[in-house]
Each structure stands twice: as structure tokens, then as C-alpha cells.
Amino acid sequence: MTIPTLVRAEFARLTASRIGIAALVALMTVPLVYGGLYLWGNQDPYSNLDKVPAALVVQDTGTTVDGTPTNYGRKAATSLLDGKKFGWVEVSSAQAATGVKDGTYDFGLTFPADFSTRLASSSGDEPVSAALKLTTDDTNSYLSTTIAKQAAEAVRVEIAKQVGSEASITLLNAVGSIRDGLVKADDGAVSLASGAATAAAGASSLASGSATLSTGAAKLSTGLHQLDAKTAALPSSAAQLSAGASSLAGKLSTASSTAGTLASNTSAAQTAYAKLVADAQVPGAVLDPRVLADIQALGTPVGTANAYAGGLAAPTGLPAAAAGAAQVAAGASTLSASAPALASAVHSAAGGAASLATGAASASTGASDLSTGVGQLATGSKTLSDSLTDAVGKIPQTTAAERAATSNLIANPVQVNQDAITQAKNYGAGLAPFFLSLASWIGIYALFLLVRPLSRRALTAVRRPIRTTLAGWLTPALLGVVQMVALFALVTLALHLPVANPVGMVAFMAFVAMTFAAIVLALNVLLGSVGQFLALVFMVVQLVTAGGTFPWQTLPAPLAALHQALPMSHAVDGIRQLMYGGTGGDLWSAFLPLAAWFVGSLALSVLGARKQGRFRTLRQLRPSPIGA
């Protein structure tokens, strides 16, 4: 018998009756029903989360931030209600607790009364963190609880972003105000440095002048002390001067009167002398020549005496001297009266000059210290000015728009830009590789409930184990390929899941079905009905290790090791590459292990067929409860 003949005979046996045809059709639809319904039901559950009932409780009483009433809880609740990502229903706290407990709501989210107050405390001296209350009940749905935690975390992140943005804009505005203040302070420091430099120069001049003043004050004190010593006898001397001046004035007054009498007498003597001379020269007068000579000699002294006497008696003579002496006496009298006060004043001045000298010395020392201090002030103010200039340069000058952009960046410093090398359309597309592979195994497993692994007649009559094995494999393999083509059409045409490489995916799914057919055939050939049962166990193990839902790296070490060894893992990887658009190298890494399973399984089946063609055991002679 040829392989086509054996295959036709098997198909004829399967379709010999209506019940057989119905059973074949039913088993052929198993992978379609399983894979199609499951992927349909889980095609895109995240887009239908708005149908998940969730309780929303807002107890937040709000707070005041910078004089503005704020209620973060109400804002967040409004955003949740408007976003409609879940079936939010705003209720009271009691209604939420009761609703979650009795299943009316899958979970509840509560904003406590102090929610805004705690958030606003971040800008105070005693900041405390705010808390959201998430009420869950796993009896409603464990996945609902998981999704609720993710939703609460998303709310927390969004509120943290909002609060962080507000806090950072407040901080940046404060920094801007600080910069403006530093600019003004810098301008003032520049003026201060300039003034301090001028003051330092003035203080230096003051110190120099104070030193000169101290020296002059010391000299003045010494001179005044000497003057005080000299004027100590001034009152008595002034009294003596006054007495002497008064006496002189009296005597000059007497002398002035006497001078007047003398002037009259000398004038008369001169007149008499002139007459005598005239008489002596009268013609006929006889005088002794010697007498005449004596008379003539007397004229000069008489004239001189008369001149002097006239001068003394003149107003500018003794009368003026008498008047001056009287004035001197009056002045001396006044001086005598004032001399005690003058002496006392000079003595007081001498004492004051001593104090002045001491004070001037202290002023000189203080001026020197002032000069040093003002110099330090000038240096310090220059340093302050330079430091403020550096500080201003280190604080960027920003506009309100720039500060707003910066605050948004601070609140949300990192954005995730996904660079998707390949990407599934939705949740259903993400699960499709796993469930398509699983559906292929289930379909092959179901087919072997009807299909005979090997034709015993052919083994007995023909004794060609390779041909018999290939015929036994080809029947379920062809049916499995039909199942995969139908399942591919269902997934792409009815469920509209995108496929990057449709031709390659159909071919690979067909190869997977043929490989699974070879594996299940080998189990049946080698172990009979026990092998069929082990094929079910094998499927269960691969459900866990294939990594169709969670990453296989999360498995316990023994199961993770099985991931690389079992065929369904590679079937899932290959379909992923073809469905999402992976690389050829990754496809080969999935194809080669499957090819090894394919060849190895057929080889084992051939060995089993060869053994059965030579020997019969009691178990093999009994009718099998599975197959005909």
C-alpha cells in the first residue's frame, strides 16, 4: 500500500457514517471554538473598562493655597468622572463600602477629608503625605483588584504631578523674586562699595587731620598753661598800672597848666627881648658893646625857650598828653577791673585746652580706628558686590512662561517614548500567539480521539514501517493544517487581528500543526492510550511553561528550564515573530527546535511501527478505548 492509499482509507473510515462525519466536524471545530471564542472575549478588554463599576467617594474639605481655595480631591474626582476610564459612580462612604462588599462595585476609591490639607502641607514647616483609600474585594474579581491598584497609582501619579507642578512654580517664582532682590541688592552693594571707598578716603584724611588736631591741641594746652602762668599776676599789675596811669594823668594835667603859664612868660620874655633889642638899636643910644653883645646872645635861647614853651602849651603838646594819660588811666582802670576775669578765663582755657588735647588724642585714635574699619568696610562691600554679582549670574533670568514650562518639567521630568520594534494591536493580539499554539495542540489531540495512529493491517501485511508511519501522521497533519487555515481566517477576517506576515504565518501554523501531529503520534505509537493521556498532560505542562501570558523568566527555575525544551514555547515565539513583524533570525530560532521535535517524533514513531510490525503484545491485541 502507498501512502495516499493509506490516507484515503483512513479518511474513508472517518467519513463512513453520519456519526463519524459529525464527530470529525465537531473535533475539527474544537480549535476554532477554543481559539476564536477566547480571543474574541479577550480581544480588547482595556477599551471596555468603562463598564467596570467603581465607587468614588469625595470627602475632601479642601484647603487654601496662597489665598486661593483649592480642593485637590474634587479636581481629581472630576477628572476621573470626565475621563470615563472606569464606570465611576460618586457615592457616600457607606454606600461605597456596602457596594464593594455586595459586588455592586468592583472597587472603591476615597479621597479623605484632609486630602487637600495634607497635600498643601508640603510648603509648610511640617509636611505630611496625603493618602488615597482603595477599597477592594477579591471575591468580586482578583483582576479587578489588580486593575484598581493600577488606577489608584495612576491617580496618585497625576495628583503628584499636579502638586509638584504647583510647588515648583511657586519655588521658581520665589527664585525669580530672589533674583530680582539680588539684582537690587547688587546695585545697592555697588553703591555701598563706592561710598565705602569714598568714606575710607575721607576716614584716612580724618585720621590724618585728627592727628594734626591732637598735636595742635597739645601745643595749645601747653601755650595756654604758660599764658595762665604769665597772667596769674595780671590783676595786681593791672591795678598798679591803673594807679600809675591815674597819677601820670594828674601830673600831666598839672604840667599842661604850668606849660601854659610858661608859654605866656616866655612869650612875654621874647617880647621884652625884642623891645630891648629895638631900644638898644635906637640911633643915639649908647650902650656898652659888651652889653649889646650879651643882649644879642640872649635872643636865641629866649626864642628857643619860647618855641618850646609854645609847643608844650599847644593843644598837641602837654594838653594832648594829659588827655591821653587820662584815657590811659581810664583804660588801665578798666583793665584793672577786667584783669581778674581775664586771668580766670585764661586759667579755665588752660584747663579746657588740656581736656581738648586729651579729647583730640582720643579723637585721633578713634579716627585711626575708623579709617581702619572703613577700609575693611570698603573691602567687604566690594566682596559683597562681587558675590552678589556672581549670585545674580548663577540664577537664570526667566519669564513667567519659562518658569511654567520648567515647573511642568520638574513635576514630570521623565517621559517614556516607546520605541516599539514590533507591537501588538491590543490585548487580544498579545494573547493570540499563545492561544493559537494551544488551539493547534488541542485540535491535534482531539483528532487522535478518532484517527488511528497506525494501520495495523498495513503493519502486518506490508511491513513497511516508514510508509505506514508517514501515512498515520499525514492524516491528522492534513486535518490539523485545515484547522490552522480556518483559525487564521477566523482571527484575521472575523476578529480583525493584524498580521505582519500572513503567508509566512499560515505556513508556520501549518508546520506547527504537523509537528504537534508528529509528537502526539509518537506518544500514541509508543504508549498507546497511555500516550494519548500523556499528550493531555504534556499540553497542561506547556500551558504553564510556554510564556504566553507572563514572561517565562518569572517561572520557577525547573519550569523555566522546560520552557526552552518544550515545543509549544517555540511555536508561540514563531507566531509572535510573524504576527508582529519580527526578524528572520528570531524566526529560525523558533523553527529549528520545532523541526528537531518533528524529525525526532517521526523517527520514534517509525521505530515504534517497526517494533509493532514484528511483535505483538497482549496490550496491542486488545481493542484500544481510543481510536479504532
Side-chain angles (χ1 to χ4, degrees), residues 61-84:
T61 58
T63 187
T64 301
V65 178
D66 296 332
T68 302
T70 301
N71 192 313
Y72 292 108
R74 174 51 58 190
K75 289 181 180 179
T78 301
S79 177
L80 291 176
L81 292 170
D82 294 341
K84 297 181 179 179

Side-chain angles (χ1 to χ4, degrees), residues 54-148:
L56 184 63
V57 181
V58 182
Q59 298 175 328
D60 191 4
T61 58
T63 187
T64 301
V65 178
D66 296 332
T68 302
T70 301
N71 192 313
Y72 292 108
R74 174 51 58 190
K75 289 181 180 179
T78 301
S79 177
L80 291 176
L81 292 170
D82 294 341
K84 297 181 179 179
K85 291 184 178 180
F86 289 92
W88 294 107
V89 179
E90 187 171 350
V91 296
S92 66
S93 178
Q95 289 173 326
T98 303
V100 173
K101 186 175 182 180
D102 63 21
T104 302
Y105 308 111
D106 282 8
F107 60 91
L109 186 65
T110 300
F111 294 93
D114 59 352
F115 188 72
S116 293
T117 302
R118 285 174 171 263
L119 285 178
S121 68
S122 59
S123 60
D125 297 331
E126 297 180 356
V128 290
S129 60
L132 288 170
K133 181 182 178 182
L134 180 64
T135 304
T136 62
D137 189 343
D138 285 355
T139 59
N140 294 330
S141 171
Y142 177 75
L143 288 179
S144 292
T145 299
T146 303
I147 294 173

Side-chain angles (χ1 to χ4, degrees), residues 3 9 65 67 85 95 116-117 147 149 170 242 265 286 349 356-357 360 432 516:
I3 294 176
V65 178
K85 291 184 178 180
Q95 289 173 326
S116 293
T117 302
I147 294 173
K149 292 178 181 179
T170 300
S242 177
N265 292 334
V286 178
L356 174 62
F516 289 172

